[in-house]
Amino acid sequence: MDKPILRRRILLHPFSWIGLLLCLSIAIPIAAQEKVDLATIERIETEAEQHSQVMDIASWLTDVFGPRLTGSPNAKAASDWAVETMRSWGLTNAHLEEWGPYDSGLADAQWGPFNRGWTSEQFTFRAITPRPFIINAMPPVGSPSTQGRVTGPATRFDVHSLGDMQRYAGKLKHAFLLLDPPRSTPAHFQPQARRLTAAELDADAAGQPLPRAPGEAEVTEIRYNVMDDAAALRWLAKEGVAALLLTSSGDGGMITMRGSAGTGLASVNLSAESYGRIVRILEKHIPVTLELEMQNTFYDDQHVFNVIAEISGADPKLKEEVVMLGAHLDSWTFGTGATDDGAGVAMTMEAMRILKALNLQPRRTIRIALWTGEEQGALGSNAYVQRHLRDWVRRHDGELSTTKAEYDSFSVYFNLDAGTGKIRGVHQAGNVAVGAIFDAWMGPFKCLGMKTVTLSDIGGGDNHAFSRVGLPSFGFIQDPIEYSRTAHTSADVFERLQPEDLQFNAAVVASFAWQAAQRNEKLPRSPRLSP
Ligand SMILES: [Zn+2]
């Protein structure tokens, strides 16, 4: 290795060898209580650095199969690909596990129970008067198609109630209704991506929550919300409107998803700039004529799946016990589901690949789950927990649960759903007993920037599916790079992923899975949580 390369690696690379050796030597005294398998972790880091496939996995998930809306053909194709890929690595028991329509009152469903898949196949939207220009926009999930190409006037729809709408009666045929006021788009004086500082991480460990990453300002609804009033929507359909137009948060052409599922009217989310341009022309009393053609397809076939695969345990006494890693395969539709949560899927798959490539024989079984239905309220993970671990029955006199056989042999679940940023620590989620264990496991990564254990919980739907039934379930502290800004927007694409961070994270995840699979005891459980 010549000097410039060595220097570059020490300064820039997540696994500089000198850094790693330093880490490994420092890790030894910390590991006095909890045994840390430094030799294997070094092999994991070498594999993660020298033969990384994490970005290739991410490219398949986003470029080839994205977006991966639950219940869509894309999600199914991505799931089939994940099964085949993990089989080709030598993982066992790789299969799709159907979860079907899941109707538990316990899921924090945004849509209620999962109902329909949806895809957008064709979309063209432009102004034709006062002169032609392309409109930057996308249909939100659940919008119906237009009847071929529809043309009509852009109409600002300033209403305050259903009664107030009557003044538009007979005037809305083929109209495109601008439901929102235009949005301001201030300059960005804050950096759009940043790393957590040592002071912030220390404060988190001391019990003060991390500052929220600067996201985009939400659209403020200052008017009567037509979208929430079924009677108003029926009235608009009867009047023959062409489509409902909503402005997006974000700027620079980014389009942020805003719901329209179930309105029954063709809907379009416009970038703040395209929306603002139409409004500003109308304010000059110049009519704007719009032309829209979109073809969307609904899928009522309710076969929906989680992807499961594993490395079987080798210890006769412990092989029935399970250590799980998971992330959600499904995404919304505006981007290709890169930071949310292609990153998590790529990291967990890569962690499994690394463990298998090293031909490691874990004592416990290490299982990966790639969920769908997360964006609709963690439906896939809740269904898994219900089937395998603990079944909830809701009755008029309260909730009862039945523990399944696998519940007692379950060790721990690690969830990856916090974007592309580097892992800087781990959440204990109130489980005091795991603090010293995680601190020891972080030893080999401490001087590479991961050194914080915090009692707080990262939250997250799939994580909660396990913790709500009293099982140890944890997420990692990650730098807030690109996540709040891009999740659920048209900017959530492959280019937002940070290769070196993902490479480092895969090594951390593989290492945590390995440590959990090897220790003599399962991870300690918190005193049982109430659901
Ligand atoms: Zn997510």
Side-chain angles (χ1 to χ4, degrees):
M1 189 183 296
D2 63 30
K3 271 188 187 156
I5 291 175
L6 182 67
R7 188 164 56 241
R8 184 183 68 82
R9 287 161 67 101
I10 291 168
L11 291 176
L12 299 176
H13 206 276
F15 310 112
S16 77
W17 292 113
I18 287 181
L20 179 56
L21 289 174
L22 195 66
C23 265
L24 289 168
S25 63
I26 291 172
I28 292 162
I30 298 167
Q33 298 287 318
E34 172 78 9
K35 245 177 85 186
V36 179
D37 182 358
L38 296 175
T40 302
I41 291 167
E42 189 177 344
R43 292 178 64 205
I44 287 172
E45 295 196 342
T46 304
E47 176 66 24
E49 184 198 11
Q50 297 186 351
H51 305 114
S52 177
Q53 291 186 25
V54 73
M55 292 305 283
D56 189 50
I57 297 167
S59 174
W60 278 94
L61 291 166
T62 56
D63 298 328
V64 180
F65 299 115
R68 305 172 303 277
L69 186 75
T70 300
S72 70
N74 286 23
K76 177 63 166 55
S79 302
D80 289 338
W81 172 85
V83 167
E84 281 310 308
T85 301
M86 291 195 284
R87 246 180 224 153
S88 76
W89 295 338
L91 299 195
T92 51
N93 196 22
H95 66 283
L96 299 182
E97 184 171 302
E98 185 168 350
W99 54 267
Y102 177 70
D103 181 12
S104 163
L106 293 168
D108 307 317
Q110 296 166 15
W111 280 12
F114 176 77
N115 48 10
R116 310 177 90 181
W118 178 91
T119 54
S120 163
E121 280 99 33
Q122 200 252 322
F123 184 84
T124 46
F125 195 20
R126 63 175 187 145
I128 46 179
T129 71
R131 49 196 45 80
F133 59 87
I134 299 292
I135 295 169
N136 181 24
M138 297 183 93
V141 168
S143 170
S145 305
T146 55
Q147 306 271 356
R149 187 178 302 172
V150 290
T151 303
T155 304
R156 294 198 68 180
F157 197 59
D158 300 299
V159 294
H160 306 283
S161 66
L162 182 55
D164 189 27
M165 285 165 59
Q166 303 309 316
R167 61 196 163 93
Y168 288 90
K171 297 177 191 162
L172 296 179
K173 189 97 185 129
H174 301 311
F176 290 82
L177 304 189
L178 293 115
L179 297 183
D180 294 319
R183 227 173 55 76
S184 66
T185 51
H188 297 258
F189 290 102
Q190 300 294 327
Q192 296 200 341
R194 58 181 208 90
R195 298 203 180 270
L196 293 166
T197 64
E200 287 168 341
L201 288 163
D202 289 347
D204 186 27
Q208 291 153 28
L210 290 169
R212 283 185 67 83
E216 296 298 335
E218 290 299 316
V219 174
T220 40
E221 299 286 351
I222 59 168
R223 291 187 193 154
Y224 156 65
N225 193 353
V226 171
M227 309 283 283
D228 287 345
D229 187 337
L233 292 167
R234 278 197 301 276
W235 187 83
L236 291 172
K238 192 163 62 65
E239 290 291 308
V241 302
L244 308 179
L245 309 188
L246 298 169
T247 184
S248 173
S249 55
D251 61 12
M254 174 194 277
I255 305 167
T256 305
M257 190 188 74
R258 288 176 65 195
S260 87
T263 64
L265 289 167
S267 305
V268 181
N269 291 5
L270 281 71
S271 71
E273 295 87 351
S274 276
Y275 194 94
R277 183 176 180 183
I278 296 168
V279 169
R280 290 188 298 272
I281 298 172
L282 290 175
E283 282 171 348
K284 295 174 177 61
H285 305 289
I286 301 169
V288 178
T289 308
L290 302 176
E291 181 189 81
L292 171 68
E293 183 170 8
M294 66 172 164
Q295 175 60 48
N296 307 316
T297 305
F298 287 91
Y299 297 88
D300 287 316
D301 166 17
Q302 300 200 340
H303 295 282
V304 279
F305 308 91
N306 297 319
V307 176
I308 308 288
E310 64 195 29
I311 300 172
S312 302
D315 184 320
K317 287 207 187 80
L318 298 181
K319 66 182 183 185
E320 298 304 323
E321 297 187 359
V322 174
V323 168
M324 268 185 99
L325 309 174
H328 68 89
L329 187 81
D330 68 303
S331 72
W332 287 117
T333 57
F334 279 24
T336 54
T339 69
D340 189 16
D341 182 24
V345 173
M347 285 186 267
T348 46
M349 283 182 69
E350 170 73 351
M352 296 298 277
R353 186 198 66 76
I354 291 167
L355 294 169
K356 193 67 199 172
L358 297 175
N359 198 23
L360 295 172
Q361 314 286 323
R363 298 176 71 192
R364 292 183 179 81
T365 294
I366 302 176
R367 182 173 297 160
I368 181 173
L370 307 176
W371 314 113
T372 58
E374 194 277 345
E375 298 289 7
Q376 289 75 32
L379 303 182
S381 51
N382 275 288
Y384 180 92
V385 169
Q386 186 176 37
R387 178 177 302 170
H388 295 277
L389 299 165
R390 197 163 181 186
D391 193 8
W392 293 95
V393 183
R394 178 162 281 188
R395 304 189 339 172
H396 67 281
D397 56 350
E399 283 153 5
L400 289 179
S401 69
T402 328
T403 297
K404 306 282 176 115
E406 293 173 62
Y407 187 87
D408 290 331
S409 56
F410 189 88
S411 178
V412 62
Y413 173 67
F414 291 107
N415 193 50
L416 278 295
D417 187 17
T420 184
K422 182 174 180 172
I423 291 178
R424 307 295 303 281
V426 57
H427 292 273
Q428 286 168 255
N431 185 331
V432 176
V434 297
I437 299 168
F438 287 164
D439 188 68
W441 293 0
M442 287 194 305
F445 299 98
K446 280 189 176 172
C447 49
L448 303 173
M450 180 199 185
K451 52 186 169 194
T452 301
V453 192
T454 172
L455 269 172
S456 63
D457 191 1
I458 193 170
D462 295 324
N463 207 17
H464 194 202
F466 290 82
S467 58
R468 77 177 359 142
V469 299
L471 291 172
S473 170
F474 306 101
F476 295 93
I477 304 169
Q478 290 179 244
D479 282 331
I481 297 172
E482 303 281 33
Y483 182 69
S484 330
R485 186 170 79 85
T486 65
H488 303 186
T489 79
S490 58
D492 190 13
V493 293
F494 181 85
E495 283 74 5
R496 302 277 52 80
L497 298 175
Q498 306 300 305
E500 293 197 346
D501 287 0
L502 292 181
Q503 205 174 312
F504 175 83
N505 294 354
V508 171
V509 173
S511 160
F512 269 55
W514 176 250
Q515 291 287 156
Q518 296 307 95
R519 71 196 304 273
N520 288 333
E521 305 294 328
K522 294 194 293 276
L523 279 199
R525 297 184 181 185
S526 279
R528 181 147 302 169
L529 305 170
S530 56

